């Protein structure tokens, strides 16, 4: 069996292994989900009014966030939402609002005060890269003439936060939101090399059996 005879099977195996290693390993998915609780409480959250609500979420690894959704009362008055993410609660106060486009749709439900609820979604202008660990999300409506309420969820760790003169007391509720994006799943270089090596050996053995 000559080296030339091995070239065909070996190259085909290596090419197949290369395609496997290069295949896309991530796709957009809901990374964190705390859906709204119909008939539940809603909490005033407006940066202009100084009352800011926040909730935490935990990621198992690095991700690229493409959109953030949440539920709350109707956004009236022509203001805009300020959505901020930080790695600490105090960091939320100095963090820049995320840029993008917000769309809303009726949730066909009401909160405990019979206010109509809507689902809002911010599609980011550029992906937000976050590492694994705990992060904090604050959402407020920026309009001094309007009150906006963020709706509670019944699916979380039962802890949220609100700002109070630079302090962040805890509240025993969850707030409703979803984080959507892609997990960064990369194959470590040693893994690729091992995959290529196994594919090459497999090609050699298959060729040898045929001969």
């Amino acid at each position: 069996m000559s080296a030339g005879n091995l070239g065909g099977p070996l190259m085909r195996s290596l090419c197949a292994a290369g395609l496997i290693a290069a295949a896309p390993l991530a796709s957009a998915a809901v990374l964190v989900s705390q859906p709204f609780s119909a008939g539940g409480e809603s909490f005033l959250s407006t940066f202009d009014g100084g009352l800011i609500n926040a909730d935490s979420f935990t990621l198992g690894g690095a991700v690229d966030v493409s959109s953030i959704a949440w539920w709350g009362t109707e956004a009236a008055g022509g203001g805009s939402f300020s959505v901020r993410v930080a790695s600490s609660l105090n960091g939320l106060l100095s963090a820049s609002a995320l840029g993008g486009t917000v769309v809303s749709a009726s949730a066909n439900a009401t909160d405990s005060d019979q206010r109509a609820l809507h689902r809002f979604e911010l599609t980011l202008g550029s992906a937000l890269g976050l590492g694994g660990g705990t992060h904090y999300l604050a959402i407020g409506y920026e309009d001094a003439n309007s009150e906006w309420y963020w709706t509670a969820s019944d699916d979380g760790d039962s802890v949220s936060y609100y700002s109070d003169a630079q302090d962040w007391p805890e509240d025993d509720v969850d707030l409703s939101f979803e984080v959507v994006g892609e997990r960064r799943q990369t194959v470590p270089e040693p893994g690729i090399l091992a995959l290529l090596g196994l594919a090459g050996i497999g090609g050699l053995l298959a060729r040898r059996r045929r001969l």
Side-chain angles (χ1 to χ4, degrees):
M1 184 168 52
S2 67
N5 290 334
L6 293 176
L10 179 58
M11 289 304 298
R12 285 194 294 271
S13 299
L14 291 175
C15 288
L19 290 174
I20 293 172
L25 295 173
S27 59
V30 177
L31 305 172
V32 180
S33 179
Q34 291 187 186
F36 78 98
S37 176
E41 292 184 89
S42 296
F43 300 88
L44 182 66
S45 191
T46 167
F47 280 92
D48 283 345
L51 182 61
I52 309 169
N53 283 289
D55 208 339
S56 62
F57 60 94
T58 302
L59 300 171
V63 303
D64 291 311
V65 177
S66 56
S67 67
I68 297 173
W70 63 95
W71 289 264
T73 59
E74 182 178 4
S80 60
F81 283 100
S82 178
V83 181
R84 309 182 191 192
V85 175
S87 58
S88 69
L89 283 167
N90 288 333
L92 288 172
L93 298 175
S94 58
S96 299
L98 299 176
T101 303
V102 176
V103 297
S104 66
S106 172
N108 296 316
T110 58
D111 65 8
S112 58
D113 290 321
Q114 300 303 307
R115 290 177 292 225
L117 297 180
H118 294 256
R119 182 183 188 274
F120 303 90
E121 183 167 10
L122 168 66
T123 300
L124 301 179
S126 57
L128 172 65
L130 296 176
T134 301
H135 303 274
Y136 298 87
L137 168 68
I139 299 174
Y141 192 59
E142 297 186 321
D143 189 324
N145 299 315
S146 299
E147 292 185 342
W148 179 78
Y149 294 82
W150 190 356
T151 303
S153 171
D154 55 9
D155 187 11
D157 58 6
S158 298
V159 176
S160 63
Y161 309 87
Y162 59 95
S163 66
D164 181 15
Q166 304 297 316
D167 195 10
W168 289 92
E170 291 187 2
D171 206 348
D172 58 351
V173 299
D174 295 310
L175 296 171
S176 57
F177 66 93
E178 287 182 345
V179 179
V180 178
E182 297 182 352
R183 295 181 176 85
R184 295 183 196 165
Q185 298 177 350
T186 56
V187 179
E189 185 175 347
I192 295 178
L193 293 176
L195 180 63
L196 293 175
L198 289 173
I201 293 171
L204 288 173
L205 293 176
R207 175 66 176 174
R208 186 173 182 180
R209 283 196 298 269
R210 284 195 296 271
L211 295 176

